Amino acid sequence: MALLEVRNLQTSFFTDAGEVKAVNGVSFDLERGKVLGIVGESGSGKSVTAYSIMQILASTAKIKEGSSIKLDGQELVGSGEKVMRTIRGNKVAIIFQDPMTSLNPTYTIGHQLMEAIMLHTDRNRAQAKERAIEMLRLVNINEPEKRMTQYPYEFSGGMRQRIVIAMALACEPDILIADEPTTALDVTIQAQILELMNSLQKELGMAIIMITHDLGVVAQMCDEVIVMYAGSICEQGTADEIFYNPCHEYTKGLMRSIPTVSGEEETLQPITGTPIDLLNMPTGCPFAPRCDAAMKICLRRCPENMDINSDHRAKCWMNVKQGVEDGSITLASGETAEQNTAEGGESNE
């Protein structure tokens, strides 16, 4: 059994303009000790997926009926705030993009670390102080006893992020959710934070959900990858499969937009167009209006999840077209590739 099982997760925001389906039918597993990367552009549903797991959503948001989030076999959807308080921090912790939003500028670092430890464990004040100093040392903060008396503004951005990581790991959670943890930092500090997280993950054996738009971070950190677009998963698989055999046109577009360090002069190819309006979702593939390879069927029908192999799935009609001859792709519904290709073979030209 996977540590975390998410099935058909649907989270919507109910606004004056209508229902915004921010997460629409997301399903995945997270194994113990593994690192899962969730990638996609802004508005793809990455962070809302994480906040749904933690159930720290805005008052206008709702996890819809039929959604399931199981942690170690325990259903979290509908479990109530009392239960979630025992989950947050103890079993699942989160670190955010900007550490200053996680730290209170009016309290010392020591006070905030100790408060978090005493809130989620049965340690007394003296034990919490000892644990806080231990955690600061673990994340490579020099002179931790002295640092305990200092305020957030006395630390650099990189050091504040280390402190936030220490706070998140103080109660030894099974899962750490990292929501764009390095975006606000310069490149050198980014590398240090990623190296720190990588070493802590191996040392503590925890699972990590890494939410990012940076494919370089994914390549460095992740075992499994989920690519999201317009609130849905368009492709998922092992990191090797996603990087060396991308099978969704959106994933391919992301790969083409990454600068290389080969020394060769290359023109980056941006993904044209704008993200889909979640208030007016199309009937077909949501990426079709921006896809250079779109066929007529892409505009009419949303593709199903198709098995590329045992470690790789993608939602793209191009895979049906390409899979007809070699018979390597099956559809989740049991339909054959041939049954769909007659319609799918039509082009936009």
Side-chain angles (χ1 to χ4, degrees):
M1 182 178 67
L3 174 60
L4 179 69
E5 298 175 326
V6 177
R7 296 289 181 272
N8 193 36
L9 177 61
Q10 301 176 70
T11 303
S12 291
F13 289 84
F14 294 90
T15 70
D16 293 339
E19 179 184 357
V20 178
K21 295 180 180 179
V23 177
N24 191 11
V26 165
S27 298
F28 63 87
D29 290 340
L30 176 63
E31 303 291 338
R32 297 177 186 277
K34 296 293 185 180
V35 182
L36 171 69
I38 303 181
V39 301
E41 60 195 9
S42 297
S44 62
K46 307 184 303 295
S47 294
V48 179
T49 297
Y51 300 162
S52 298
I53 294 169
M54 297 286 289
Q55 295 188 38
I56 50 173
L57 296 161
S59 58
T60 55
K62 181 182 178 181
I63 298 176
K64 301 179 73 174
E65 188 176 344
S67 303
S68 175
I69 303 169
K70 288 185 178 179
L71 177 64
D72 246 349
Q74 178 184 2
E75 181 61 66
L76 301 185
V77 176
S79 61
E81 182 60 22
K82 184 176 180 180
V83 171
M84 287 308 302
R85 284 177 184 170
T86 66
I87 299 295
R88 299 186 198 112
N90 286 328
K91 294 187 176 181
V92 185
I94 188 168
I95 57 176
F96 297 98
Q97 177 175 333
D98 184 358
M100 281 304 283
T101 63
S102 305
L103 298 172
N104 190 322
T106 64
Y107 290 101
T108 64
I109 293 301
H111 175 93
Q112 294 179 66
L113 279 167
M114 290 166 60
E115 183 180 46
I117 293 166
M118 289 188 290
L119 178 64
H120 295 291
T121 70
D122 57 1
R123 288 182 170 92
N124 59 33
R125 188 169 184 82
Q127 292 170 330
K129 182 177 181 180
E130 183 180 344
R131 177 63 173 167
I133 292 171
E134 178 188 347
M135 292 307 300
L136 289 178
R137 190 174 287 116
L138 184 66
V139 297
N140 300 324
I141 296 290
N142 295 325
E143 301 180 287
E145 292 86 355
K146 175 184 175 182
R147 299 297 192 179
M148 289 278 287
T149 64
Q150 295 181 322
Y151 290 84
Y153 72 86
E154 298 180 75
F155 296 84
S156 67
M159 291 181 74
R160 284 196 294 265
Q161 193 63 289
R162 289 172 185 269
I163 291 165
V164 170
I165 293 172
M167 190 177 295
L169 300 183
C171 301
E172 301 180 4
D174 296 323
I175 300 173
L176 175 66
I177 299 175
D179 187 8
E180 302 274 12
T182 61
T183 302
L185 307 174
D186 64 56
V187 175
T188 303
I189 303 302
Q190 279 185 26
Q192 293 176 7
I193 294 298
L194 290 174
E195 183 180 355
L196 171 65
M197 291 184 65
N198 200 20
S199 62
L200 290 175
Q201 187 269 332
K202 288 181 171 60
E203 181 178 344
L204 302 175
M206 64 185 171
I208 294 179
I209 297 177
M210 178 71 70
I211 297 171
T212 182
H213 64 273
D214 189 335
L215 290 172
V217 171
V218 174
Q220 180 179 343
M221 292 282 296
C222 300
D223 302 300
E224 305 277 339
V225 181
I226 288 171
V227 182
M228 292 189 67
Y229 185 80
S232 299
I233 295 175
C234 61
E235 187 164 4
Q236 61 192 116
T238 62
D240 284 346
E241 281 286 334
I242 297 298
F243 277 90
Y244 295 110
N245 184 31
C247 290
H248 193 284
E249 294 303 308
Y250 176 61
T251 310
K252 293 176 184 178
L254 292 178
M255 298 299 177
R256 288 193 295 266
S257 65
I258 304 174
T260 65
V261 291
S262 62
E264 299 177 7
E265 290 189 11
E266 296 182 34
T267 301
L268 296 182
Q269 301 177 43
I271 299 174
T272 58
T274 57
I276 203 75
D277 180 3
L278 295 179
L279 283 167
N280 299 287
M281 291 288 287
T283 54
C285 173
F287 185 61
R290 304 174 68 186
C291 179
D292 294 335
M295 301 175 288
K296 290 181 180 179
I297 190 176
C298 301
L299 301 172
R300 292 200 297 266
R301 288 179 58 189
C302 191
E304 296 183 53
N305 240 339
M306 304 167 198
D307 295 322
I308 310 303
N309 56 49
S310 59
D311 297 321
H312 192 177
R313 306 187 84 195
K315 287 183 179 179
C316 186
W317 284 117
M318 287 298 293
N319 294 314
V320 179
K321 183 178 179 181
Q322 293 163 0
V324 173
E325 294 181 358
D326 58 24
S328 61
I329 294 172
T330 58
L331 298 181
S333 67
E335 293 180 278
T336 65
E338 288 86 347
Q339 287 173 320
N340 287 278
T341 309
E343 185 180 3
E346 302 172 17
S347 68
N348 275 336
E349 294 178 1

